[in-house]
Amino acid sequence: MGTARIFASSTIRLSPTTNLFFYVLIWAVCIGGVGVVLWSALRSKRWPRWTTQDILIVAALGVLLEVYDNVIGDQFITPLLGGGNSVLHFLQIHDLPYMFLLMVGVALVRKPGCVTAMVFINFLLAALLFGSGHGVLDWTDGLTQGIFCDLYIVARRGKVFGPSSSPLGMVLDGLAIGILRGGPNAFLGDFNFDPYLNASFSTWLQTWNDTWSNGLFNGIEAAISAVLAKRVAMAVIPSLGIGKARAAAVTSVDPFAEADAGAPATAADAVAAGQAAAGQVAGETSPADGGQP
């Protein structure tokens, strides 16, 4: 117990060479992930190609993410929640609107690369408006918030907010996307980005707390937002068809099918048609009956 406590309270201080090695390794993973996502978006037959509408949606939501993240969130929401050291901040309550906007973007586009594109636009706008200490070297912070989410979308093979998605499936997809957005970035920030680029060091316990809290609570927020994000997406673009295959399998009735001209429209029409047919049959048989003794 004493050894574990000492280890948890010890500061992560790796040599510059070791930090450089991990930093280059993270860049390699990000570049490899971007390559997989680009191939899936451009060459795979599982997804339609990106359209001008998709690009505009991603750009607009990237701007909204930036407005909330660095203006509304940092300047208004975080102080109202008690600051950066409060319990509500630890629960990532300030990230709930951010995750909702992100899930709306996923529901609208539903193609590999959408998360990285939105988050990276947010990151670039923040760097342009508020400055960035290291330029391109800081891009790993933005990439690691989105690339793992897009790799998950690739792994799901078009089922994220797809035609066969159920509400439970959307919630689970949201949970996974939220965890992958918050957890890896928090760990890599404390373990490598801050020590290597900013000479800011954290303890192992702080790194663990940042990792699980960001991953878990971002996941819960994305899961909560998933079904509502689907409703917003369907309101914006009704032709998306999210969950339509499941609904069609349940009803198995085409509401747009043309009615059969020969079929009765209502039950009353069916009764009237039956009575008319019975009367016609009676009329045809009555002369033959009159000739009998």
Side-chain angles (χ1 to χ4, degrees), residues 175-186:
L175 179 66
I177 290 173
I179 291 174
L180 292 172
R181 183 258 169 181
N185 177 258

Side-chain angles (χ1 to χ4, degrees), residues 95-105 221-222 225-226 228-229 232:
D95 274 345
L96 180 57
Y98 186 98
M99 296 308 301
F100 170 71
L101 290 172
L102 193 68
M103 293 305 297
V104 169
E221 291 162 0
S225 303
L228 182 58
V232 173

Side-chain angles (χ1 to χ4, degrees), residues 169-285:
M170 296 176 200
V171 168
L172 294 177
D173 285 334
L175 179 66
I177 290 173
I179 291 174
L180 292 172
R181 183 258 169 181
N185 177 258
F187 172 76
L188 294 173
D190 287 350
F191 179 77
N192 184 259
F193 302 155
D194 287 342
Y196 183 64
L197 298 176
N198 304 315
S200 175
F201 302 95
S202 304
T203 64
W204 286 105
L205 179 61
Q206 181 182 350
T207 301
W208 164 246
N209 287 334
D210 288 345
T211 301
W212 75 260
S213 62
N214 277 273
L216 176 62
F217 296 123
N218 274 242
I220 293 174
E221 291 162 0
I224 293 172
S225 303
V227 177
L228 182 58
K230 176 252 184 182
R231 292 181 177 273
V232 173
M234 292 292 292
V236 175
I237 307 178
S239 61
L240 282 176
I242 302 174
K244 293 292 186 180
R246 180 174 293 271
V250 173
T251 59
S252 66
V253 175
D254 184 3
F256 301 104
E258 296 183 359
D260 186 358
T266 63
D269 293 339
V271 173
Q275 292 176 347
Q280 183 178 0
V281 172
E284 293 176 353
T285 58

Side-chain angles (χ1 to χ4, degrees), residues 84-99:
N85 295 322
S86 66
V87 175
L88 294 178
H89 190 274
F90 177 79
L91 297 176
Q92 308 298 316
I93 300 298
H94 58 287
D95 274 345
L96 180 57
Y98 186 98
M99 296 308 301

Side-chain angles (χ1 to χ4, degrees), residues 22-36:
F22 282 115
Y23 181 75
V24 172
L25 180 63
I26 293 167
W27 260 112
V29 171
C30 289
I31 293 173
V34 169
V36 171

Side-chain angles (χ1 to χ4, degrees), residues 29-111:
V29 171
C30 289
I31 293 173
V34 169
V36 171
V37 171
L38 283 176
W39 181 90
S40 300
L42 300 177
R43 302 297 298 273
S44 176
K45 297 181 180 179
R46 295 186 182 275
W47 295 273
R49 298 296 173 260
W50 277 65
T51 63
T52 303
Q53 176 179 275
D54 296 330
I55 296 173
L56 293 175
I57 289 172
V58 164
L61 283 168
V63 173
L64 289 177
L65 289 175
E66 166 57 23
V67 170
Y68 175 78
D69 190 22
N70 288 292
V71 180
I72 298 175
D74 289 350
Q75 304 300 322
F76 298 98
I77 303 300
T78 298
L80 287 175
L81 295 177
N85 295 322
S86 66
V87 175
L88 294 178
H89 190 274
F90 177 79
L91 297 176
Q92 308 298 316
I93 300 298
H94 58 287
D95 274 345
L96 180 57
Y98 186 98
M99 296 308 301
F100 170 71
L101 290 172
L102 193 68
M103 293 305 297
V104 169
V106 174
L108 284 169
V109 179
R110 302 179 298 166
K111 296 169 185 174

